[in-house]
Amino acid sequence: MAPPSSLGLRTCYQSIATLSRRHVLVGCGCVFAATVRHTDAETSPGLTVLHATSMGFSGAVPGPVIRARRGDEIKVRLVNGLDEPMALHWHGVRVPNAMDGGVPLTGPPVVPGTSVDYRFPVPDAGTFWYRAASRSQQESGLYGALLVAEPVPPLVDQDRLLIFGGRRSSRDGAQEFTLNGAAALDIAVRVNERLRLRFVNASARPMNARIENHRVIVMALDGQPAEPFASRDGRIVLAPGNRADVFVDATLAPGSIAPIMFTRERGESAMVRLVYGDMTARQTPLGDPAPLAANRVPLRMDFSRALRIALPIEGGNATGLPGMPLVSAARGRTVVMAIDNRDAGAHVVHLHGHHFRLLDRLDDGWKPYWLDTVAVERRQTARIAFLADNPGRWLIEHHAIDGPAAGVNWFEVK
């Protein structure tokens, strides 16, 4: 299936369905111990024990950044110091089923005062994140980033994480948003530097950002490399759970200040500033970037034998996990899912353990990127396709944007 050449922009809540080469639109107390074991002969980092409060991992929001390289083995011990059960979900990571944290499919949650070990290899390079499996616990601050480096790092001068979070104010109920846990931050740059900015939307609302006076090149979405393309007006709009890696060349004059504007309930605000010093990284900017190293996602899918299913989404609260899977697929089978949002508002859908292609409405191709999370507009149907290649029982989470959970479903890969 050939990807389309262009797509139209509708609203920031239409999720990745309107992404093109001109738009970036992807939607509208615990103790935490982590280590990474390299599979080559290099010395592996020692075990790090990270203490936490009931407000977040390691006593901070967001939690500690876990860094690895593709193929490394992650080891994490989660000790539940809360007064309620919890589990950890690795959002976008194609983990073995037992490590997914998809309660109750993958086992019971961790009860207060006990611990569980997560141990798995990371098969893909890219920008991922971890979070409490419970949405309410995640929104209280139990989330953090997992960054997996490519085998050959791209040519960039700075690699910066920007994790967007939000919670309700205890005073007036208004949304309060942060980046890396702060209300605002500055990034010092040199003239002609190249920056890699890793945006993660860990909030319950769409993240709508705009980088002023710079060319923004989209390199990856939801952890999977894309064919590089320029974003119109420097915009990056992510649904809850989505990620985007972008390259930005610092081409303004020494002493310049360029804001990264974020849409808020009362207009835009400059939550990040690119602050230019007097130094120059190189005489001229770097040329157009080469694509990031590809991960092992399938290049082709067999649609002639695809299993075709529908996932209806109704309004209201979650009613519990169905006893039967939405679909049971043999390993290696293509699955086409029609996500039918019958509700009055947009919904976010996250597929565990797999990445998917968003299909064109006219069934004449797919969008040129991979996703693990997508927002579906009210009264609309989105169609996705994925290769059922990760054995186990996997959750399909879906909830209204900034609203109550609509429910969960699941599928099986045998």
Side-chain angles (χ1 to χ4, degrees), residues 97-98 100-108 321-325 352 392-396 408-412:
N97 191 229
D100 181 60
V103 176
L105 291 177
T106 56
L321 191 69
M324 296 294 293
H352 284 223
R393 301 189 299 170
W394 301 99
L395 281 179
I396 309 168
V408 289
N409 217 301
W410 61 289
F411 66 98
E412 182 179 35

Side-chain angles (χ1 to χ4, degrees), residues 11-144:
T11 70
C12 70
Y13 297 102
Q14 268 189 288
S15 86
I16 197 70
T18 55
L19 177 66
S20 75
R21 293 175 183 271
R22 301 178 65 196
H23 305 87
V24 186
L25 189 60
V26 194
C28 259
C30 292
V31 176
F32 193 67
T35 187
V36 176
R37 182 173 66 83
H38 293 297
T39 55
D40 58 18
E42 293 186 9
T43 302
S44 63
L47 177 67
T48 303
V49 178
L50 306 167
H51 299 279
T53 70
S54 61
M55 296 302 295
F57 294 118
S58 194
V61 179
V65 177
I66 300 175
R67 298 181 183 272
R69 293 178 303 180
R70 191 173 73 184
D72 283 351
E73 184 177 64
I74 299 290
K75 295 180 183 178
V76 170
R77 176 165 296 156
L78 174 67
V79 183
N80 187 359
L82 302 176
D83 58 3
E84 60 183 4
M86 73 166 301
L88 200 59
H89 173 54
W90 302 90
H91 195 114
V93 187
R94 296 187 294 163
V95 297
N97 191 229
M99 299 290 101
D100 181 60
V103 176
L105 291 177
T106 56
V110 185
V111 299
T114 65
S115 67
V116 68
D117 287 353
Y118 295 87
R119 180 172 176 171
F120 55 87
V122 280
D124 300 323
T127 301
F128 306 98
W129 63 301
Y130 61 88
R131 58 177 172 86
S134 160
R135 188 178 175 205
S136 62
Q137 291 174 353
Q138 172 204 326
E139 292 178 5
S140 73
L142 292 173
Y143 63 85

Side-chain angles (χ1 to χ4, degrees), residues 144-276:
L146 169 62
L147 307 183
V148 184
E150 293 82 7
V152 179
L155 178 57
V156 296
D157 299 291
Q158 294 194 56
D159 189 333
R160 303 296 292 263
L161 169 68
L162 296 173
I163 185 164
F164 183 77
R167 65 178 66 184
R168 291 288 182 184
S169 169
S170 58
R171 299 187 302 274
D172 56 10
Q175 284 276 0
E176 296 178 343
F177 294 103
T178 60
L179 273 171
N180 299 354
L185 58 92
D186 287 349
I187 299 177
V189 300
R190 298 172 297 164
V191 175
N192 292 333
E193 267 195 316
R194 172 162 288 174
L195 285 72
R196 178 181 189 168
L197 303 179
R198 301 174 183 257
F199 288 91
V200 178
N201 187 3
S203 80
R205 297 282 299 172
M207 186 209 82
N208 189 335
R210 177 171 57 88
I211 304 178
E212 290 193 343
N213 301 320
H214 287 78
R215 185 170 181 244
V216 176
I217 305 297
V218 180
M219 302 296 296
L221 295 166
D222 282 5
Q224 297 297 338
E227 184 178 344
F229 63 92
S231 168
R232 175 188 285 179
D233 300 327
R235 286 203 174 271
I236 305 100
V237 183
L238 304 177
N242 282 131
R243 290 90 63 210
D245 291 43
V246 304
F247 283 7
V248 177
D249 288 334
T251 54
L252 301 187
S256 299
I257 296 178
I260 302 181
M261 308 298 293
F262 285 76
T263 300
R264 309 284 285 273
E265 292 180 346
R266 299 177 180 87
E268 285 187 321
S269 64
M271 297 183 69
V272 185
R273 301 188 311 167
L274 304 181
V275 181
Y276 282 71

Side-chain angles (χ1 to χ4, degrees), residues 384-407:
I384 65 173
F386 63 94
L387 186 69
D389 60 353
N390 199 351
R393 301 189 299 170
W394 301 99
L395 281 179
I396 309 168
E397 297 181 80
H398 45 95
H399 63 79
I401 289 181
D402 200 27

